[in-house]
Amino acid sequence: MIKFGIVGCGHIAKKHITAIQEADGATLAAVCDTQPERVETFSSEFNVKGYTSLEEMLNTDIDVVNICTPSGFHADIAVQIARANKHVVVEKPIALTLEDTDKIITACEENNVKLAVVHPNRFRPAFVALKELVQSGVFGKISHSNATVRWNRNQEYYDQAPWRGTKSLDGGVLMNQAIHNLDLLIWLMGDVKEVYSMAATRLRNIEAEDVSTGLARFEDGSLGVIEAATTIYPKNFEESITIFGEKGTVKISGANALHIEHLTIEGMDESEIEQLIQNIKNDPWGKPGHQRIIEDMVEAIKEDREPVVTGLDGRKALELVISLYESAEHNKPIILN
């Protein structure tokens, strides 16, 4: 069994712990947080050793550490973990700056440890099916795509913790919510070459943006439209990815992007399309994405390969967010490296 430790005993940590408990080949061995009361709560609830010192936890025989702290702390913690020769699973975003991201990637490479970034939406059945369709080329030449996150995160959500909505530790709707959808766009459409964006803080009392709109040009010349907001009243309204090609159109949508709302492909039998749509309706979530991330890390260690969602993947999604921020701040197009 691969032994996992958790650093950061907040809300998202419980999702990681459930994933570890359900995953084949994984076991939860320890938890860590700087707040003793949190450590005591998690240690008692999950019957594992608790630590207030990361260094002490790293001095045990655990194999992997999952980073569940506020995003602004990811880099220093990840580097410390890598230097202790433990593998790293880091919640999205991988970090808040490219400089910090590169520190994480370099530390993991230099110490020969695996690095996985939590972008679990790739494992949803609808997106697994869409990835296969895109790779097969059935849509032909792509004209454009669309990523939409129209969600509600009310003021109470942001007030739950002082770091939420801050630029130094959290970020806004692009960094915290829509980064999953930006990762999906890159995964499906390829690298982004250029962006232009506008952002605002309209309804929430936070430092970062609560609404953002943007345009993207991909390396293949296709265009993308990005819309993200946490201002939607009164609850989550839509999360979607849409792709328009010369031979097909597809939209995955819902309050969470779980279902194929529309699929038309030249030459594809209607009954085959309906069967695919129905299969996904029958099991829209599939195996939980966090569990898939954990199981993939177990397999990556045993097979000595890269995880499915790598540090470079996390870096690309972050670079897109940062470029959109830069464009909105300076009111000009930004060319990505």
Side-chain angles (χ1 to χ4, degrees):
M1 299 287 281
I2 301 298
K3 297 180 179 180
F4 284 75
I6 299 285
V7 57
C9 296
H11 171 73
I12 198 65
K14 291 194 173 183
K15 183 171 285 191
H16 281 249
I17 290 171
T18 299
I20 292 165
Q21 291 174 329
E22 296 294 326
D24 293 334
T27 185
L28 179 67
V31 295
C32 177
D33 196 285
T34 56
Q35 298 184 31
E37 63 275 13
R38 284 189 173 188
V39 173
E40 175 61 29
T41 298
F42 271 66
S43 179
S44 298
E45 181 175 352
F46 301 106
N47 193 29
V48 293
K49 182 69 175 176
Y51 298 88
T52 54
S53 165
L54 177 57
E55 184 178 359
E56 286 185 23
M57 187 176 78
L58 293 175
N59 230 0
T60 68
D61 63 349
I62 59 173
D63 303 294
V64 187
V65 178
N66 291 28
I67 302 174
C68 301
T69 65
S71 304
F73 298 133
H74 286 181
D76 288 344
I77 292 171
V79 170
Q80 186 177 352
I81 295 167
R83 288 175 177 170
N85 297 116
K86 312 295 184 182
H87 305 289
V88 179
V89 175
V90 58
E91 256 296 340
K92 60 74 188 171
I94 183 172
L96 293 182
T97 69
L98 294 179
E99 180 182 7
D100 277 350
T101 299
D102 291 338
K103 288 179 182 177
I104 295 172
I105 293 172
T106 299
C108 290
E109 289 175 347
E110 288 179 346
N111 292 279
N112 196 30
V113 298
K114 313 296 182 188
L115 171 61
V117 184
V118 180
H119 284 296
N121 294 12
R122 293 188 185 195
F123 297 100
R124 291 179 182 176
F127 286 111
V128 171
L130 178 53
K131 178 69 170 180
E132 291 176 357
L133 290 171
V134 169
Q135 287 183 319
S136 72
V138 294
F139 292 105
K141 188 175 183 179
I142 304 299
S143 65
H144 65 294
S145 55
N146 186 299
T148 302
V149 180
R150 295 166 175 163
W151 279 356
N152 174 275
R153 294 293 184 271
N154 58 23
Q155 192 61 45
E156 182 182 352
Y157 165 85
Y158 291 105
D159 291 343
Q160 286 175 0
W163 54 267
R164 285 190 173 177
T166 63
K167 292 182 179 179
S168 61
L169 294 179
D170 188 32
V173 63
L174 282 178
M175 188 73 80
N176 199 3
Q177 282 83 27
I179 194 167
H180 285 306
N181 309 84
L182 301 184
D183 171 70
L184 287 172
L185 267 190
I186 297 167
W187 185 56
L188 293 166
M189 303 299 300
D191 292 345
V192 176
K193 181 179 180 180
E194 181 182 10
V195 298
Y196 183 77
S197 178
M198 294 184 183
T201 309
R202 295 290 297 164
L203 303 183
R204 307 299 176 233
N205 183 26
I206 58 175
E207 184 181 14
E209 84 288 350
D210 60 12
V211 59
S212 173
T213 59
L215 303 174
R217 188 188 307 275
F218 294 89
E219 290 285 357
D220 69 354
S222 66
L223 303 181
V225 179
I226 298 163
E227 177 193 342
T230 56
T231 59
I232 309 306
Y233 180 83
K235 60 184 179 179
N236 289 3
F237 177 69
E238 179 184 10
E239 177 190 12
S240 66
I241 296 283
T242 311
I243 297 176
F244 302 93
E246 61 178 330
K247 297 181 179 180
T249 301
V250 61
K251 182 177 183 180
I252 295 176
S253 188
N256 297 100
L258 294 172
H259 302 284
I260 298 179
E261 180 181 317
H262 177 85
L263 177 61
T264 303
I265 296 174
E266 180 182 285
M268 191 172 182
D269 188 83
E270 285 295 327
S271 62
E272 185 179 352
I273 291 175
E274 286 302 317
Q275 186 61 57
L276 175 59
I277 292 173
Q278 188 59 49
N279 288 344
I280 290 168
K281 278 185 179 179
N282 292 340
D283 186 20
W285 289 101
K287 183 181 289 189
H290 279 72
Q291 183 179 340
R292 293 289 298 272
I293 293 285
I294 298 302
E295 290 181 344
D296 177 64
M297 175 57 86
V298 170
E299 293 167 7
I301 292 169
K302 293 181 176 179
E303 298 169 8
D304 193 22
R305 62 164 173 81
E306 285 287 291
V308 168
V309 187
T310 65
L312 180 59
D313 292 327
R315 189 187 194 281
K316 287 181 178 181
L318 177 66
E319 183 182 18
L320 180 50
V321 171
I322 289 173
S323 297
L324 290 165
Y325 281 160
E326 185 179 354
S327 175
E329 180 181 356
H330 298 288
N331 192 29
K332 68 177 184 179
I334 299 296
I335 304 296
L336 280 71
N337 295 327

